[in-house]
Amino acid sequence: MNADEGSAEDALLCSPTPTFVLDEAGRVRRANMAGEALATASERVMRGRPLDDFLRFGEPAAALGARAEAAPFFAFDRRIELAQGPARDGDVAVAPLSTRPGWRVVAVHARPAPRRPRVRRPVDAAAVLAHEIKNPLSGIRGAAQLIEGAGEGGEMPRLIRQEVDRIAALLDRMEGLTDTRPLDCGPLNIHAVLRDVAALARQGYARDVAIDEAFDPSLPAVLGERDALVQLFTNLLKNAVEAAPRGPVQLRTAYRYGVGLGDGAGGRVALPIEAAVIDDGPGLPSAVAAALFTPFVTTKLNGSGLGLALADKLAADLGGVLEHARNEAAGRTIFRVRLRRAGADR
Ligand SMILES: Nc1ncnc2c1ncn2[C@@H]1O[C@H](COP(=O)(O)OP(=O)(O)O)[C@@H](O)[C@H]1O
Ligand SMILES: [Mg+2]
């Protein structure tokens, strides 16, 4: 390669294939960016340590390397166990490094991680807890009402009632997270749904915020369920307004050809309908970004941390996905929902 074509070093560094250079003892000497991402460790941290400390292929890297004495060796369909994060399946290629005896280059082709597993057990426990708490709560609420009706206790009974209602609403939202009933999806005009969401917002939490509608008028009908969509976009819009209280906040729709998702059975589901909620706020705090869509993660004084978790679950229930993006240059936070279109089987 000449200078105009970039160096081999650059090519290795930026190659999307996770690649590691190991010395004769199987210790990491180099790792490219994709390798760092796969191992969830920087090259600096990995350097000098056995690759096995970070990922394993069912046998030590040194043993794999021994089989690539003179020519590249390929191991297909390996379970790739990661020190950080769930195991993946993929292929591993090992080749001798021609310039240093005993050294190896290891390239890993991990298949995409399976869809993020839903938090199950903690949430199911939460559902049981919610149910158990709601029963005595209604008793407490009733008692407070009686005291209030009798004109006793001053402000207290009203406060008790208010707090009880707040806890009950929180429990309701938590139960939404554990609802596993399938949604009854049909063709809908997403713009009508979004206009309703915006109208609701203007009457309540977004009284003083401009909500811009940037709708693609040629968008076909979405395959969805109205209540789920309203809840999903309300959660996103409320967050946007809270992040950028002076607004404006934007609702944007677009048709995206070719966007889709594996269906887990080798097929693909097209998700061409995009509806995004965009704000000019400061973006996600890093602690939240690291645990996005996890229940009870909140930075707000009175936050529940359930809005995004529920939005993510609803998007999945609708057969779509919720994605977060940040455009640092424009100072915009984007929550994008990708949905199926009606009348298309793929
Ligand atoms: N549009 C946004 N801009 C910046 N931060 C956001 C945005 N949406 C969500 N967040 C962050 O994610 C956290 C979790 O949001 P959410 O699950 O809706 O719970 P809550 O709004 O009750 O805190 C928020 O506390 C906030 O820190
Ligand atoms: Mg919220």
Side-chain angles (χ1 to χ4, degrees), residues 55-97:
L55 42 147
R56 293 167 185 262
F57 317 107
E59 67 185 298
L64 257 189
R67 294 204 247 155
E69 195 71 48
F73 172 78
F74 294 88
F76 294 104
D77 274 325
R78 290 289 171 125
R79 190 101 188 124
I80 302 168
E81 279 167 29
L82 301 170
Q84 309 245 15
R88 310 259 295 263
D89 293 323
D91 308 324
V92 186
V94 188
L97 193 72

Side-chain angles (χ1 to χ4, degrees), residues 173 235-236 238-244 277 279 281-285 288 292-294 296-300 302-310 333-335:
R173 264 183 295 162
N235 289 7
L236 297 180
K238 193 153 184 291
N239 280 344
V241 168
E242 286 164 354
V277 180
D279 68 68
L284 291 176
V288 174
L292 201 59
F293 307 139
T294 307
F296 307 114
V297 172
T298 180
T299 55
K300 295 169 194 168
N302 289 313
S304 68
L306 289 174
L308 283 180
L310 186 56
T333 308
I334 304 157
F335 280 89

Side-chain angles (χ1 to χ4, degrees), residues 319-332:
V321 282
L322 171 62
E323 297 168 356
H324 159 259
R326 171 80 185 158
N327 181 339
E328 211 56 66
R332 299 179 126 191

Side-chain angles (χ1 to χ4, degrees), residues 43-60:
E43 183 187 56
R44 202 168 49 78
V45 165
M46 284 187 273
R47 197 171 276 162
R49 287 176 57 183
L51 182 61
D52 304 310
D53 284 2
F54 304 94
L55 42 147
R56 293 167 185 262
F57 317 107
E59 67 185 298

Side-chain angles (χ1 to χ4, degrees), residues 138-204:
S138 59
I140 296 172
R141 192 182 195 282
Q145 246 172 335
L146 278 179
I147 299 172
E148 201 176 5
E152 290 166 27
E155 271 288 277
M156 277 314 195
R158 196 184 53 80
L159 273 180
I160 294 171
R161 204 158 39 77
Q162 246 175 26
E163 285 303 284
V164 164
D165 287 346
R166 197 178 58 77
I167 298 169
L170 181 67
L171 294 173
D172 281 343
R173 264 183 295 162
M174 225 165 70
E175 280 177 319
L177 265 183
T178 64
D179 195 339
T180 52
R181 286 170 300 174
L183 293 174
D184 185 16
C185 289
L188 285 175
N189 179 345
I190 187 81
H191 296 148
V193 174
L194 292 174
R195 284 198 185 99
D196 288 350
V197 167
L200 277 171
R202 287 189 192 103
Q203 282 165 32

Side-chain angles (χ1 to χ4, degrees), residues 100-112:
R100 286 175 196 262
W103 286 37
R104 302 279 185 267
V105 185
V106 176
V108 183
H109 293 264
R111 282 184 265 294

